[in-house]
Amino acid sequence: MDAEHATGRGRHGDPQDTAGLAAALRLAVARITRRLRQAHAVGDVSLSGVSVLARLAGAGPDSPGTLAEAERVRPQAMAATLSGLEQRGLVRRAPDAADGRRAIVSITDEGRAVLAERRSESVDLLTRALDEFTPQEREALRAALPLLDRLAQRL
């Protein structure tokens, strides 16, 4: 029995192994994201735009500043994202009833439709890919989902 197995720690207790896992995970997630992004039509809503639409659909109307904070982007980047979404009629701005100097952004019906279509395309693409995995492999991915969600919350 070697030292790693004798301690029960294995290589996972080694910081370099954790860094290797982090690098491999980053690469895999980047590849998945890139391929999903490439599957959508040119001129389609950006990933940041989809994220804002999803946030507005789920949490309701919000201010640009709060959206920027929640999405972890600079206010200028959020302004550009919202401007593009507003030009396409996917969101609308209205003055805040409590503070007229502030705007509140909400998703439109058109925005909800685009979000649903985008989700459907991505889910279809992922479903076709996952169909090529064994049931055991799909179950391993399913079991990892809570860990991936927890990781996303900690970033």
Side-chain angles (χ1 to χ4, degrees):
M1 198 171 190
D2 65 21
E4 283 183 342
H5 291 98
T7 63
R9 283 182 49 193
R11 290 183 298 149
H12 294 288
D14 181 338
Q16 286 185 328
D17 186 60
T18 302
L21 173 61
L25 184 59
R26 187 199 64 75
L27 182 60
V29 169
R31 285 179 177 154
I32 292 168
T33 301
R34 183 174 56 249
R35 291 194 175 121
L36 287 173
R37 185 182 298 143
Q38 290 168 345
H40 296 287
V42 173
D44 200 4
V45 180
S46 68
L47 285 181
S48 58
V50 169
S51 183
V52 169
L53 290 175
R55 187 171 299 281
L56 291 170
D62 215 336
S63 71
T66 304
L67 288 168
E69 204 172 289
E71 293 289 318
R72 296 184 179 177
V73 298
R74 294 184 9 215
Q76 297 87 343
M78 182 55 64
T81 298
L82 290 174
S83 177
L85 293 173
E86 191 173 22
Q87 286 175 356
R88 292 186 61 182
L90 305 180
V91 300
R92 72 174 151 266
R93 295 178 205 240
D96 184 345
D99 181 354
R101 298 169 295 171
R102 203 171 91 145
I104 296 295
V105 181
S106 59
I107 189 169
T108 64
D109 289 341
E110 177 71 18
R112 288 183 196 285
V114 165
L115 185 60
E117 180 181 333
R118 178 81 180 242
R119 282 179 176 160
S120 178
E121 289 172 2
S122 293
V123 168
D124 287 347
L125 185 63
L126 285 165
T127 299
R128 287 193 302 276
L130 287 169
D131 280 344
E132 297 178 19
F133 285 61
T134 67
Q136 295 80 13
E137 290 170 327
R138 287 193 300 270
E139 191 51 43
L141 287 170
R142 187 180 333 283
L145 290 175
L147 295 173
L148 293 170
D149 280 339
R150 197 168 94 203
L151 178 61
Q153 291 172 4
R154 284 183 166 62
L155 296 177

